[in-house]
Structure formats: C-alpha cells, structure tokens
C-alpha cells in the first residue's frame, strides 16, 4: 500500500480526504501544519501522494507544495478556495502540482487522485528509464575512451580495440565496463 500525507487545519475536511484516499488504497498520515509535515518528509520516507488543504496555520501551503514537488516524486494536490484556485494553479502548474477548488466534490477528488497517481507512476517509470540510459551512455563513453587508448598506444584499429575489449571481458569474466576501467587505469597515469 502506498502512503498519502494529508495536511489540513480543518479536521472535518481532513477526515473526508482521508476516507476518500483510503478507499483508493492509501495509508494516510494527517497533519495540521506544514512544519509537522516537513519533519516527516525530511526523515526520508517519501509518500506517493500529498494533499494540502489551504490555508494552513503556519503558511498558505503553496510554498510547502513547491518544496515537496522539488524534493519528492509524490503526486501533489493543492485544495484552495474556488475564487483563487485559478491564480494558484497558474503559479504552481510548472511544478506539476494539481489544484482543486473548494467546495470539494468527492467524485472529482477521486478522479483527480487517480489521475495524479497514474501520472506519478508514469513519471517514475520514465525517470528509471532515463537513469538506465544515462548509465549505458556513461559505460559507452568509458569503453570508447579505452578503445582510444588501445588505438593510441597499441596501434589497434577501432574494430581491433573493440574485439580486444570484448575478448578480455569474456576471458576474465568481467563486464566490458570493468575491462575498460582496467585498461584506462593501466595507461592513464
């Protein structure tokens, strides 16, 4: 089960939000101020969903939402008065924060929770894929540097250098990255 953090100074609204979030499969933690929620986020446990009902006693809530958007991969919903919701949405939309106007409709809220959590899942998948691609690019750069070293010092052609690294990897039961690192440490001093 994924975790949701609810920040609301209004206990009635907090209970309604919690009830809806639990119906979507979340385990909820409720806070009445941003400072108490900040302490929870700073301990390293990252929630899947953060719901902020503004205003709060210590701040409006927009600042906390922006900070959470920068430091977590959580889906964030900011609930505010209907008369200012468009202005707030304009300010926070670049951070990926979704704004809902009050009064809150349960069906709209549940649809929004599903939307932001599915977007979060997709974003996490893309981040993972991006990380894997960057790792492969780094490995390719390292191998290409090792090939260049072999071409410079041993006068190999590029196909010969590639073949040499591949053979050494198989013979020594190493990855091509480890073989490239060994070659670089041997020649780059």
């Amino acid at each position: 089960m994924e975790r949701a953090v609810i920040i609301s100074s209004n206990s009635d609204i907090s209970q309604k939000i919690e009830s809806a979030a639990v119906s979507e499969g979340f385990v909820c933690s409720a806070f009445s101020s941003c400072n108490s929620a900040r302490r929870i986020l700073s301990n390293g446990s990252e929630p899947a969903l953060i719901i902020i009902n503004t205003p709060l006693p210590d701040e409006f809530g927009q600042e906390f939402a922006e900070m959470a958007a920068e430091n977590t991969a959580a889906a964030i919903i900011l609930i505010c008065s209907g008369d200012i919701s468009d202005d707030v949405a304009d300010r926070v939309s670049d951070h990926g924060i979704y704004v809902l106007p009050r009064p809150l409709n349960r069906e709209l809220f549940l649809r929004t929770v599903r939307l932001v959590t599915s977007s979060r899942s997709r974003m996490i998948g893309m981040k993972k894929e991006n990380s894997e691609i960057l790792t492969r690019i780094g490995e390719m750069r390292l191998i290409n540097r090792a090939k260049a070293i072999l071409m410079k010092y041993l006068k190999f052609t590029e196909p010969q250098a590639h073949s040499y690294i591949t053979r050494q990897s198989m013979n020594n039961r190493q990855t091509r990255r480890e073989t490239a690192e060994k070659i670089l440490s041997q020649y780059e001093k």
Side-chain angles (χ1 to χ4, degrees):
M1 289 186 121
E2 293 190 293
R3 200 165 65 89
V5 170
I6 301 166
I7 309 163
S8 176
S9 59
N10 184 322
S11 61
D12 289 340
I13 292 177
S14 185
Q15 288 173 353
K16 288 177 184 177
I17 292 170
E18 185 172 348
S19 169
V22 167
S23 74
E24 288 297 310
F26 287 95
V27 175
C28 298
S29 302
F31 302 94
S32 60
S33 71
C34 289
N35 284 334
S36 54
R38 261 191 192 89
R39 284 191 287 272
I40 294 299
L41 291 182
S42 66
N43 75 8
S45 63
E46 185 173 302
L49 176 64
I50 299 173
I51 303 163
I52 305 164
N53 181 36
T54 64
L56 295 159
D58 51 351
E59 64 181 77
F60 179 72
Q62 176 184 336
E63 303 84 5
F64 178 83
E66 291 171 353
M67 180 277 305
E70 289 176 19
N71 297 313
T72 70
I76 303 169
I77 299 173
L78 191 65
I79 302 168
C80 62
S81 176
D83 58 336
I84 62 167
S85 63
D86 288 339
D87 292 335
V88 173
D90 288 341
R91 287 182 284 188
V92 299
S93 63
D94 290 343
H95 297 282
I97 300 167
Y98 195 85
V99 177
L100 278 176
R102 253 188 328 266
L104 204 53
N105 174 318
R106 181 178 170 88
E107 188 58 39
L108 177 61
F109 176 74
L110 290 174
R111 265 191 254 139
T112 302
V113 167
R114 290 181 200 123
L115 173 73
V116 297
T117 54
S118 67
S119 296
R120 173 186 178 267
S121 297
R122 189 165 185 210
M123 180 186 67
I124 288 173
M126 291 172 74
K127 276 186 172 181
K128 182 180 177 193
E129 184 179 328
N130 189 32
S131 175
E132 291 169 358
I133 289 170
L134 291 175
T135 300
R136 280 188 271 160
I137 288 172
E139 184 176 309
M140 288 170 39
R141 284 181 178 156
L142 192 70
I143 291 168
N144 285 337
R145 275 185 37 222
K147 285 183 196 178
I149 293 285
L150 292 173
M151 291 164 56
K152 178 180 179 181
Y153 291 108
L154 301 180
K155 306 297 184 211
F156 284 180
T157 64
E158 196 277 334
Q160 288 172 326
H162 179 81
S163 178
Y164 178 81
I165 291 172
T166 303
R167 262 186 289 117
Q168 288 296 99
S169 298
M170 288 189 293
N171 291 343
N172 296 328
R173 296 183 181 175
Q174 298 176 320
T175 64
R176 291 179 355 145
R177 178 185 194 95
E178 291 169 333
T179 301
E181 288 171 344
K182 189 174 181 182
I183 291 167
L184 291 173
S185 68
Q186 192 173 9
Y187 290 98
E188 286 184 341
K189 292 182 181 178

